[in-house]
Amino acid sequence: MTQITVHRILPMVKRFLAKVVASSDAVIDATAGNGNETRYLAELVGEESCVYAFDVQQVALATTAQKLGPLQSRVKLVHDGHENVLQYIKHPPIAVATFNLGYLSYANTGITTKAQTTIQAINAIVQSLKCGGIITVSIYQGHDDGAESSALLVALSQLEQLAVHVARYELINQRNHVLYLLLLEKLK
Ligand SMILES: C[S@@+](CC[C@H](N)C(=O)[O-])C[C@H]1O[C@@H](n2cnc3c(N)ncnc32)[C@H](O)[C@@H]1O
């Protein structure tokens, strides 16, 4: 079978997370949803570390808990908005945080991430991120008629370039589920 080099967005996110997480790090899934990234992070961190998984929907946290099984002992499920993240992190600095923006299709509640609170959360996490730590932000372009995506691009492109690198990664020939990744790395 051919070895893939140019990965789709979500597998790419996992590769970036795996590269940066060390077993004692505190890490964040800012949008738990079905718990896919939460579970992946719980597998990466050690027994003594903590994954903080946020969601405003109790149904999402219940699904995440089910997906975690015994790995739940490494995860703190937080039923609150990620904009309040620093109220919950007991052991900064943070190594990685991951956001998956849009709505949770199975729950069909219409509850979706919003530009203002997403930007608030990212700015807060950047302050507590360790040097070399990363934030991954996966965005469905069509969500919100592009409003959250546009606002994020404006806000993140203004981050101080000597303090944070901000990159955009996307496959430009995809017809369905058009998703792109913003990747932040703290430099100092
Ligand atoms: C696209 S889904 C995440 C998908 C997830 N990564 C998975 O594995 O299924 C986005 C999630 O963000 C949640 N959300 C919306 N606003 C939020 C906020 N302010 N803080 C935390 N979570 C929020 C939604 O409830 C939804 O479950």
Side-chain angles (χ1 to χ4, degrees):
M1 204 161 116
T2 315
Q3 176 92 19
I4 300 252
T5 303
V6 179
H7 295 274
R8 286 170 182 265
I9 300 301
L10 295 178
M12 198 66 191
V13 165
K14 288 186 171 172
R15 293 172 81 90
F16 283 123
L17 296 175
K19 191 165 173 2
V20 175
V21 171
S23 60
S24 58
D25 288 335
V27 303
I28 299 171
D29 184 351
T31 51
N34 286 317
N36 295 307
E37 282 77 23
T38 309
R39 186 182 164 98
Y40 185 69
L41 289 170
E43 286 166 352
L44 287 178
V45 299
E47 304 265 334
E48 307 305 316
S49 324
C50 189
V51 179
Y52 296 85
F54 290 81
D55 208 292
V56 289
Q57 297 190 70
Q58 192 64 59
V59 63
L61 295 176
T63 308
T64 298
Q66 218 171 13
K67 185 156 285 174
L68 286 167
L71 287 171
Q72 203 183 329
S73 60
R74 299 177 184 185
V75 178
K76 181 159 179 45
L77 297 170
V78 184
H79 185 206
D80 197 356
H82 41 225
E83 58 276 18
N84 300 319
V85 57
L86 294 189
Q87 292 177 22
Y88 297 90
I89 306 297
K90 299 283 182 268
H91 306 290
I94 297 157
V96 305
T98 185
F99 290 74
N100 189 324
L101 305 180
Y103 69 99
L104 189 57
S105 49
Y106 85 86
N108 211 15
T109 53
I111 295 175
T112 176
T113 52
K114 303 267 183 315
Q116 193 191 347
T117 41
T118 302
I119 291 166
Q120 202 179 327
I122 292 172
N123 283 331
I125 293 168
V126 165
Q127 301 310 316
S128 297
L129 206 59
K130 71 179 190 183
C131 285
I134 61 166
I135 303 175
T136 70
V137 187
S138 317
I139 310 170
Y140 289 93
Q141 304 203 19
H143 145 65
D144 217 3
D145 284 335
E148 186 171 23
S149 164
S150 306
L152 264 175
L153 286 172
V154 170
L156 299 188
S157 61
Q158 289 166 4
L159 289 175
E160 166 53 46
Q161 66 174 11
L162 296 179
V164 189
H165 275 166
V166 187
R168 176 173 175 156
Y169 176 89
E170 70 182 315
L171 278 66
I172 62 170
N173 64 337
Q174 303 292 296
R175 282 187 211 109
N176 302 316
H177 309 298
V178 180
L179 187 64
Y180 71 94
L181 169 66
L182 295 174
L183 179 65
L184 288 71
E185 179 174 10
K186 179 109 168 236
L187 304 174
K188 62 174 187 182

PDB file of all heavy atoms in Angstrom, residues 27 43 49 61 80 89 114 124 135 137 166:
ATOM      1  N   VAL A  27      -2.691  18.866  29.185  1.00  0.00           N
ATOM      2  CA  VAL A  27      -3.130  19.141  27.812  1.00  0.00           C
ATOM      3  C   VAL A  27      -4.637  19.399  27.799  1.00  0.00           C
ATOM      4  O   VAL A  27      -5.351  19.008  28.722  1.00  0.00           O
ATOM      5  CB  VAL A  27      -2.777  17.969  26.858  1.00  0.00           C
ATOM      6  CG1 VAL A  27      -1.302  17.671  26.875  1.00  0.00           C
ATOM      7  CG2 VAL A  27      -3.553  16.721  27.205  1.00  0.00           C
ATOM      8  N   GLU A  43      -4.520   8.838  25.622  1.00  0.00           N
ATOM      9  CA  GLU A  43      -3.580   7.756  25.308  1.00  0.00           C
ATOM     10  C   GLU A  43      -2.140   8.270  25.300  1.00  0.00           C
ATOM     11  O   GLU A  43      -1.213   7.548  25.632  1.00  0.00           O
ATOM     12  CB  GLU A  43      -3.918   7.142  23.929  1.00  0.00           C
ATOM     13  CG  GLU A  43      -5.162   6.277  23.979  1.00  0.00           C
ATOM     14  CD  GLU A  43      -5.714   5.938  22.599  1.00  0.00           C
ATOM     15  OE1 GLU A  43      -5.226   6.496  21.598  1.00  0.00           O
ATOM     16  OE2 GLU A  43      -6.656   5.132  22.545  1.00  0.00           O
ATOM     17  N   SER A  49      -0.621  12.628  34.489  1.00  0.00           N
ATOM     18  CA  SER A  49      -0.976  13.889  33.832  1.00  0.00           C
ATOM     19  C   SER A  49      -2.476  14.010  33.692  1.00  0.00           C
ATOM     20  O   SER A  49      -3.216  13.082  33.970  1.00  0.00           O
ATOM     21  CB  SER A  49      -0.381  13.954  32.439  1.00  0.00           C
ATOM     22  OG  SER A  49       0.844  13.365  32.422  1.00  0.00           O
ATOM     23  N   LEU A  61     -20.163  15.524  26.813  1.00  0.00           N
ATOM     24  CA  LEU A  61     -19.272  14.997  27.857  1.00  0.00           C
ATOM     25  C   LEU A  61     -19.629  13.560  28.212  1.00  0.00           C
ATOM     26  O   LEU A  61     -18.747  12.743  28.491  1.00  0.00           O
ATOM     27  CB  LEU A  61     -19.323  15.909  29.090  1.00  0.00           C
ATOM     28  CG  LEU A  61     -18.780  17.320  28.860  1.00  0.00           C
ATOM     29  CD1 LEU A  61     -18.961  18.186  30.106  1.00  0.00           C
ATOM     30  CD2 LEU A  61     -17.299  17.297  28.460  1.00  0.00           C
ATOM     31  N   ASP A  80     -18.217  23.413  30.892  1.00  0.00           N
ATOM     32  CA  ASP A  80     -18.147  24.884  30.879  1.00  0.00           C
ATOM     33  C   ASP A  80     -17.523  25.286  29.547  1.00  0.00           C
ATOM     34  O   ASP A  80     -16.931  24.458  28.835  1.00  0.00           O
ATOM     35  CB  ASP A  80     -17.275  25.383  32.050  1.00  0.00           C
ATOM     36  CG  ASP A  80     -17.487  26.877  32.336  1.00  0.00           C
ATOM     37  OD1 ASP A  80     -18.237  27.541  31.587  1.00  0.00           O
ATOM     38  OD2 ASP A  80     -16.884  27.370  33.306  1.00  0.00           O
ATOM     39  N   ILE A  89      -7.331  25.075  35.029  1.00  0.00           N
ATOM     40  CA  ILE A  89      -6.015  24.443  34.856  1.00  0.00           C
ATOM     41  C   ILE A  89      -5.200  24.635  36.125  1.00  0.00           C
ATOM     42  O   ILE A  89      -4.769  25.743  36.443  1.00  0.00           O
ATOM     43  CB  ILE A  89      -5.250  25.054  33.652  1.00  0.00           C
ATOM     44  CG1 ILE A  89      -6.113  24.990  32.387  1.00  0.00           C
ATOM     45  CG2 ILE A  89      -3.912  24.366  33.449  1.00  0.00           C
ATOM     46  CD1 ILE A  89      -6.465  23.629  31.904  1.00  0.00           C
ATOM     47  N   LYS A 114     -18.272  29.804  18.860  1.00  0.00           N
ATOM     48  CA  LYS A 114     -18.479  31.200  18.431  1.00  0.00           C
ATOM     49  C   LYS A 114     -17.134  31.928  18.420  1.00  0.00           C
ATOM     50  O   LYS A 114     -16.313  31.732  19.319  1.00  0.00           O
ATOM     51  CB  LYS A 114     -19.390  31.945  19.418  1.00  0.00           C
ATOM     52  CG  LYS A 114     -20.753  31.322  19.631  1.00  0.00           C
ATOM     53  CD  LYS A 114     -21.776  31.938  18.695  1.00  0.00           C
ATOM     54  CE  LYS A 114     -23.194  31.435  18.870  1.00  0.00           C
ATOM     55  NZ  LYS A 114     -23.367  30.013  19.008  1.00  0.00           N
ATOM     56  N   ALA A 124      -6.155  33.172  26.048  1.00  0.00           N
ATOM     57  CA  ALA A 124      -5.861  32.754  27.429  1.00  0.00           C
ATOM     58  C   ALA A 124      -4.868  31.596  27.426  1.00  0.00           C
ATOM     59  O   ALA A 124      -3.912  31.580  28.220  1.00  0.00           O
ATOM     60  CB  ALA A 124      -7.160  32.345  28.130  1.00  0.00           C
ATOM     61  N   ILE A 135      -1.030  24.938  19.783  1.00  0.00           N
ATOM     62  CA  ILE A 135      -2.501  24.926  19.769  1.00  0.00           C
ATOM     63  C   ILE A 135      -2.916  24.565  18.349  1.00  0.00           C
ATOM     64  O   ILE A 135      -2.442  25.186  17.385  1.00  0.00           O
ATOM     65  CB  ILE A 135      -3.085  26.304  20.141  1.00  0.00           C
ATOM     66  CG1 ILE A 135      -2.571  26.760  21.507  1.00  0.00           C
ATOM     67  CG2 ILE A 135      -4.610  26.266  20.130  1.00  0.00           C
ATOM     68  CD1 ILE A 135      -3.007  28.173  21.900  1.00  0.00           C
ATOM     69  N   VAL A 137      -6.117  24.310  15.729  1.00  0.00           N
ATOM     70  CA  VAL A 137      -7.494  24.783  15.558  1.00  0.00           C
ATOM     71  C   VAL A 137      -7.984  24.293  14.204  1.00  0.00           C
ATOM     72  O   VAL A 137      -7.563  24.797  13.151  1.00  0.00           O
ATOM     73  CB  VAL A 137      -7.564  26.329  15.615  1.00  0.00           C
ATOM     74  CG1 VAL A 137      -9.015  26.789  15.610  1.00  0.00           C
ATOM     75  CG2 VAL A 137      -6.820  26.887  16.822  1.00  0.00           C
ATOM     76  N   VAL A 166       2.170  31.322  13.741  1.00  0.00           N
ATOM     77  CA  VAL A 166       0.821  30.866  13.374  1.00  0.00           C
ATOM     78  C   VAL A 166       0.866  30.415  11.917  1.00  0.00           C
ATOM     79  O   VAL A 166       1.178  31.209  11.023  1.00  0.00           O
ATOM     80  CB  VAL A 166      -0.232  31.990  13.525  1.00  0.00           C
ATOM     81  CG1 VAL A 166      -1.628  31.425  13.307  1.00  0.00           C
ATOM     82  CG2 VAL A 166      -0.128  32.656  14.897  1.00  0.00           C
TER      83      VAL A 166
END
